[in-house]
Amino acid sequence: MSALPPDGWMPIRVYRQDTQIMVDWCAFDWQRAVEPFFDQAVDRELMHPFNALFRAQTSLDTLVARQSSAYIPPPSGFVFHMSRCGSTLVTRMLQMAPHTRVAVEPGSISMLLRLTADRSDEERVALLRALLSAFGRASSADAPPRYFFKFDAWDTCDLPLIRRAFPDTPWMFLYRDPLEVLVSQMALPSGTLLSRFDVGARLGLDPATAFGMSPEELCARLLGMCCRVALENLDEHAVLVDYCQLHNQLFDLLARAFDITWTPEDMRHARRATRFHAKQPTELFTDDTDRKRRMATEAMSAAVERWTRGPYDELVAAHRNRDSYKLEQAT
């Protein structure tokens, strides 16, 4: 198919077909997309009879070629994170803010980054701009003024490329003590961690080295890389968020990062929602920091100290210095 589907259709899948990168589309209602993850909303939309009968497919090159035919505003903000550090709560609050749409870890973006790893940065930037703008194009049917993305945690490794594609887009990086994150990942690994090839590729390791490392080491090394990349790319558009800040500073942090203002009614609904688990909204939230600390094994602690603690401590120091500077400027 050479023509793009109508406004209101969303890119839901990216894959390689022969020598081309293809995009699958479906009609998509962002107003109903309240699931914790974008791909869960896609699964629901695909059950609609219309989407069962009518599907669209284009090449990504077609999307790039036709991108300039109409102005599409750039994304309003990006959320990056270490994983298991409160990012789902942040996106839930963004979803509840007035006139916003949030694409939470779309698999199509992660797949694009993986499929194009061997291409030049210039080509990858053009493809990334085209794909993310397609989400804005899909939103134009009901014209929400702002649309946001939360990236998969491990896509933080591609932060320099994403910033090059959208240099003026504000972004947030959430982090948490790496030992607590590692405990959570070892109990329930994310999809990427289940593939040593994927982890090795992101870390620049050959397969033999990746397969020779323990799960704790691989994950800790990846967490350390996320911290390092975030630290090296800090700029005036970045806001760092410690997990501990989410309990009493979340709304101020979102306002600072993305210039969001809630109505009193929106604020009441949002504050009520923070009482519940972000991924299990029927369960009350309980702080599991102490429990995760007790669950940590010697292997986990050793892996964190070797691979993560250094860049994590540097990130924390940079965060404190930035906040201290802003406080001095304000006074």
Side-chain angles (χ1 to χ4, degrees):
M1 180 178 182
S2 58
L4 294 180
D7 289 347
W9 287 58
M10 187 74 76
I12 60 171
R13 189 166 71 102
V14 170
Y15 57 98
R16 191 186 300 279
Q17 186 177 80
D18 298 325
T19 60
Q20 288 189 311
I21 296 178
M22 305 299 295
V23 182
D24 276 353
W25 304 73
C26 79
F28 192 94
D29 183 358
W30 262 25
Q31 290 184 335
R32 298 195 303 170
V34 296
E35 288 82 356
F37 296 97
F38 177 79
D39 290 351
Q40 294 173 332
V42 169
D43 290 341
R44 172 179 47 75
E45 290 290 336
L46 289 178
M47 296 176 65
H48 193 281
F50 179 88
N51 283 322
L53 293 171
F54 301 100
R55 300 289 292 277
Q57 180 189 68
T58 66
S59 71
L60 195 55
D61 290 335
T62 297
L63 186 56
V64 172
R66 295 177 178 270
Q67 182 187 8
S68 60
S69 60
Y71 173 73
I72 299 172
S76 305
F78 295 145
V79 177
F80 297 93
H81 56 106
M82 268 179 74
S83 84
R84 315 295 167 85
C85 58
S87 61
T88 302
L89 175 62
V90 168
T91 51
R92 283 194 67 202
M93 295 302 100
L94 281 174
Q95 287 171 331
M96 299 182 74
H99 311 299
T100 64
R101 301 289 183 267
V102 188
V104 183
E105 300 187 17
S108 58
I109 297 177
S110 295
M111 184 58 67
L112 174 67
L113 293 170
R114 290 167 57 190
L115 289 177
T116 61
D118 59 344
R119 301 197 183 189
S120 69
D121 283 354
E122 290 75 13
E123 187 175 5
R124 298 183 79 198
V125 162
L127 295 171
L128 191 61
R129 285 175 178 164
L131 182 62
L132 268 64
S133 295
F135 285 79
R137 177 181 177 273
S139 72
S140 64
D142 55 352
R146 314 185 77 190
Y147 64 110
F148 296 80
F149 291 90
K150 186 186 99 169
F151 289 83
D152 181 278
W154 317 126
D155 290 340
T156 302
C157 299
D158 286 299
L159 179 58
L161 180 77
I162 297 167
R163 296 297 300 137
R164 182 174 174 182
F166 299 96
D168 297 323
T169 296
W171 59 284
M172 171 184 287
F173 181 76
L174 292 101
Y175 65 89
R176 184 177 184 175
D177 187 283
L179 184 60
E180 298 163 21
V181 177
L182 184 59
V183 167
S184 178
Q185 285 287 354
M186 291 299 97
L188 185 63
S190 63
T192 296
L193 289 180
L194 296 176
S195 171
R196 289 176 178 260
F197 283 108
D198 286 345
V199 178
R202 291 175 188 269
L203 292 172
L205 303 175
D206 61 82
T209 301
F211 275 86
M213 298 180 70
S214 68
E216 292 88 350
E217 286 182 298
L218 274 178
C219 184
R221 193 163 176 172
L222 198 53
L223 292 173
M225 184 174 184
C226 289
C227 291
R228 176 68 65 194
V229 172
L231 180 64
E232 291 175 349
N233 287 273
L234 291 179
D235 57 21
E236 69 274 15
H237 299 293
V239 171
L240 295 174
V241 179
D242 188 327
Y243 173 79
C244 298
Q245 295 179 280
L246 297 180
H247 301 289
N248 53 21
Q249 301 179 45
L250 176 56
F251 297 102
D252 290 339
L253 290 165
L254 287 173
R256 184 199 309 175
F258 303 128
D259 193 26
I260 291 178
T261 303
W262 282 265
T263 66
E265 184 65 19
D266 291 328
M267 184 71 78
R268 281 193 292 272
H269 286 300
R271 289 193 183 282
R272 191 179 304 120
T274 61
R275 297 168 49 205
F276 295 88
H277 195 288
K279 294 178 182 175
Q280 302 292 336
T282 60
E283 299 179 8
L284 288 173
F285 171 79
T286 56
D287 188 355
D288 61 356
T289 298
D290 291 339
R291 180 174 63 85
K292 281 186 166 59
R293 289 278 176 176
R294 291 193 299 270
M295 292 173 61
T297 65
E298 290 185 7
M300 294 178 191
S301 298
V304 164
E305 292 306 314
R306 180 177 182 185
W307 298 110
T308 322
R309 186 63 62 186
Y312 169 81
D313 287 346
E314 291 181 43
L315 186 70
V316 171
H319 187 180
R320 290 173 178 166
N321 290 338
R322 286 166 67 91
D323 282 1
S324 297
Y325 175 76
K326 289 176 181 177
L327 182 61
E328 290 174 3
Q329 293 294 100
T331 56

